[in-house]
Amino acid sequence: MSEQAKVTGDFRRASPWPVFIALGFALAELGIFVGYFAVAVGGLLLLGGSVAGILVESGYASSVWRPLAGLGIAFGLLGVALVASQVDPATLDALSVVTDPNGIVGRGLAIVGSGAILVAVGVTGFLLE
Amino acid sequence: MAGQQLALTVLMGLVLVGVAALLTRIEDWRQYTPLAGGSAVAVGEDTGYGHREKPSGVIRWLTTVDHKDIGILYGVFALLALAIGGLMVMVMRFELITPASDVVSAQFYNALLTSHGITMLFLFGTPIIAAFGNYFVPLLIGADDMAFPRINAIAFWLLPPGALLIWGGFLVPGIAPAQTSWTMYTPLSVEQAHVGADLMLLGLHLTGVSATMGAINFIVTIFTERGEDVNWANLDIFSWTMLTQSGLILFAFPLLGSAIVMLLLDRNLGTLFYAVGEGGGPILWQHLFWFFGHPEVYILVLPPMGLISYIIPRFSGRKLFGFKFVVYSTLAIGVLSFGVWAHHMFATGIDPRLRASFMAVSLAIAIPSAVKTFNWITTMWNGRIRLAAPMLFSIGFISNFIIGGVTGVFLAAIPIDLILTDTYYVVGHFHYIVMGAIAFAVFAGIYYWFPIFTGKMYQRTLAKWHFWLSMIGTNVTFFAMLLLGYMEMPRRYASYDMVTVGPLEAQTLLHQAATVGAVILLVGQVIFVWNVVSSWLDAPKVTDTDPWDLKQSGLFTREFGWHADRLTAADGGEQQTVTDGGEKHEATDSPQPGDTEA
């Protein structure tokens, strides 16, 4: 119960990531719901990067590259699912919804785009290291 | 449009580059070495910042994951929100001095009304409780920190963006703020085209995510991080209420989040969840909202009740009367709170048999609430009462809680509710609880633990002024509202010059009385702010290890044990003596097992 019992704990008392995770989450949500493409992509990148960072910091991952790529794949799948929901099941004409995106497809593409960037960064980093 | 998109893209790019640059200054994230705070320490078995090795300046507050720092951050945030929400309502009260709409437009009044409610409940109420919880639950249960310190920090940092979004309609030029009232009833909230409403919903969603993360953290902390000598039988009453509240949050807030997402989808993407004649229809929103909304009332009031149960014994020189039954009543309220939501919907035309069952459960909640009230009174009975500021606020709490509670019992009865619903009676009733009770308990807690938060003592005379002005202001304002309600004055109106029946002069007079009460409250809170700020900055350091003389009545508790240890450690220099072999030095005035049971 003494102060000393607390200060000798082997865990850090500071981390730069929580504030950026919160900011990334807020920007991503704002961008996706209100429909600001750039804000959505930027927010998701910040969120993905910060989550990867905090995972490494807390020892759940040994480097940032794998978590980055993993989150990228997850975002990509989510975005693709959102886009796919708008494809006409009769014609399966995916190209037409992508070339002329409606509100939902545009949001889906933002999520796919940020996922692709995260995967690219993760894979590049992994290969270069 | 293309130019706007380009500008946004460039701006986002700059933000990301800025974040990356900042991060490389703070940490080498590829090697994982902390750089800020002076010395870089390689990551190994005993790496990391110790308590005294946090980075300095603003970076310390931006990066902290220490439960006490996060508690302070929550507290400062919540008090700022209280000030903003309070100033909003002052504008509304000045508008209501005269029947006509002459101070602000009706639209602006509606926007203030909406924002005042959301600000007080989600940006003041929930965060200020998290402030106490974060600071004191680990100290009270003998834990090193919260179970998930980083998630704790994420939960806090979701609040500032949430607040900016909630106030976005006022802050961003060119868009109108939400005018939905805090209940956001459909179809109004679906059809109102203001971008401010979307921003508010997003902000509300963020605060909900924040509260849920915090609740999970409290539950895990209290279950798994208790010290060896803390068990369920001697867990302190404040931690019991935090645990119950966290359970309520876990079931209530995710539901609010889902309902809000559905509302956002209805507004922006053409879904029909709440559309008239489709799916659930507008009434679905009321069911979902109040299934969250009524437990929210107890989310806000249970921890303050815990504070009162914790503080009253310490200024009565007695242990809490019927400790077990106070815990049981807390749990009972927690369970019952999920079975009363439709009492907010008695006038919507729902099935009368449903109404009757909800009336029965709502009335039943009076029983555990009364158990608590009688236990507080019995604790004080024949006690050695000391009327220090925390105790004054606690007694004020009981008094206001009784008025707020008894008026609530009347509202729970269908025939009375059908007459009084949507009148000022309801406003008076719940403000007796949220201002008269919850805010009073918060003030009691702040004064009681002021020596721990700040290492200083507040100015006693100013604190008493604060109490009496708050007590008188609360009762003048909200009793006038109860009377206005008996005259069937409708709530939520920006002006009342269209009212042509009833005792108009008396109604105007009561509105003016409520405004006078609000001014008295404002003066009291200005004194509070002055007292806190000037005492924190200028008061001499507290050197007494037991500032409330708790040992005298055998009610000394762990958090003051920690305070005493801190003073002793500061006395003896940087390090407290550790005996050979690393055995922890037990401070002589550490609390004994069993001390925490009240």
Side-chain angles (χ1 to χ4, degrees), chain B residues 129 244 430:
Chain B
I129 292 168
T244 314
F430 73 73

Side-chain angles (χ1 to χ4, degrees), chain B residues 171-386:
Chain B
L171 301 175
V172 181
I175 64 168
Q179 298 173 33
T180 58
S181 149
W182 86 280
T183 51
M184 300 168 281
Y185 280 159
T186 52
L188 174 70
S189 57
V190 175
E191 290 164 4
Q192 202 168 72
H194 309 146
V195 181
D198 286 314
L199 298 184
M200 183 192 79
L201 289 168
L202 286 168
L204 204 49
H205 188 249
L206 288 180
T207 63
V209 173
S210 159
T212 311
M213 290 172 106
I216 292 170
N217 217 342
F218 280 119
I219 292 172
V220 178
T221 305
I222 294 173
F223 266 89
T224 64
E225 303 285 318
R226 293 195 311 271
E228 284 172 12
D229 54 341
V230 181
N231 54 36
W232 291 115
N234 65 14
L235 183 67
D236 66 280
I237 188 68
F238 178 63
S239 300
W240 267 113
T241 55
M242 283 303 297
L243 181 64
T244 314
Q245 182 232 23
S246 299
L248 295 185
I249 289 180
L250 200 56
F251 287 101
F253 266 93
L255 185 117
L256 174 73
S258 316
I260 285 178
V261 168
M262 284 154 69
L263 188 55
L264 279 165
L265 294 176
D266 269 14
R267 287 176 59 86
N268 293 300
L269 293 173
T271 56
L272 299 168
F273 291 112
Y274 306 118
V276 179
E278 301 276 348
I283 200 78
L284 173 65
W285 169 262
Q286 291 201 28
H287 278 295
L288 293 178
F289 179 79
W290 286 116
F291 186 83
F292 148 80
H294 204 83
E296 165 72 0
V297 173
Y298 296 99
I299 287 168
L300 289 172
V301 85
L302 283 178
M305 284 172 161
L307 285 174
I308 296 303
S309 309
Y310 194 79
I311 292 170
I312 283 183
R314 281 163 185 79
F315 293 89
S316 304
R318 306 181 57 185
K319 287 191 174 178
L320 181 64
F321 183 86
F323 178 83
K324 266 193 212 169
F325 290 91
V326 178
V327 173
Y328 296 155
S329 65
T330 303
L331 298 173
I333 290 176
V335 173
L336 289 174
S337 70
F338 281 100
V340 299
W341 79 86
H343 71 212
H344 296 273
M345 303 161 61
F346 283 162
T348 57
I350 56 171
D351 190 323
R353 288 162 298 181
L354 273 179
R355 281 199 318 206
S357 64
F358 277 100
M359 175 173 86
V361 184
S362 304
L363 291 172
I365 261 192
I367 296 167
S369 310
V371 167
K372 284 176 179 292
T373 309
F374 286 123
N375 276 304
W376 293 324
I377 294 171
T378 324
T379 304
M380 291 190 287
W381 196 270
N382 277 343
R384 192 171 50 82
I385 307 266
R386 292 181 291 160

Side-chain angles (χ1 to χ4, degrees), chain B residues 111 270 396 406 422 428 442 455 491:
Chain B
V406 169
D422 261 334
V442 165
R491 63 188 284 206

Side-chain angles (χ1 to χ4, degrees), chain B residues 424-438:
Chain B
Y424 263 85
Y425 186 86
V426 180
V427 185
H429 150 69
F430 73 73
H431 277 89
Y432 258 104
I433 300 294
V434 289
M435 177 65 214
I438 295 170

Side-chain angles (χ1 to χ4, degrees), chain A residues 1-7 10-23 25-27 29-30 33-39 42-43 45-46 53-54 56-58 64-65 103-104 107 129, chain B residues 8-9 12 16 19 22-23 27 29-30 32 34 45 48-49 51-52 55 62-66 139 142-145 150 153-154 157-158 161 165 199 202 205-206 261 264 269 558 562 565 575-576 584:
Chain A
M1 261 322 293
S2 72
E3 165 85 340
Q4 301 311 310
K6 295 184 197 329
V7 303
D10 288 340
F11 52 88
R12 297 180 56 185
R13 296 279 181 164
S15 165
W17 302 108
V19 68
F20 294 120
I21 290 180
L23 189 62
F25 187 79
L27 287 174
E29 199 174 84
L30 178 70
F33 270 104
V34 185
Y36 298 132
F37 190 91
V39 177
L45 290 179
L46 185 55
I54 208 168
V56 176
E57 182 202 42
S58 48
V64 289
W65 310 122
I104 297 173
R107 289 165 166 92
E129 217 171 44
Chain B
L8 261 183
T9 311
M12 277 315 297
L16 289 178
V19 166
L22 185 67
L23 279 169
E27 317 247 326
W29 45 270
R30 289 180 57 195
Y32 232 88
E45 282 169 7
Y49 305 115
H51 186 74
R52 289 162 207 283
L62 288 174
T63 61
T64 184
V65 295
D66 181 333
L139 293 182
D144 287 339
D145 202 314
R150 291 183 187 82
I154 295 172
W157 286 110
L158 282 170
L165 286 171
L199 298 184
L202 286 168
H205 188 249
L206 288 180
V261 168
L264 279 165
L269 293 173
R558 286 170 176 275
W562 174 82
D565 282 358
Q575 291 290 322
Q576 197 174 350
K584 193 173 69 182

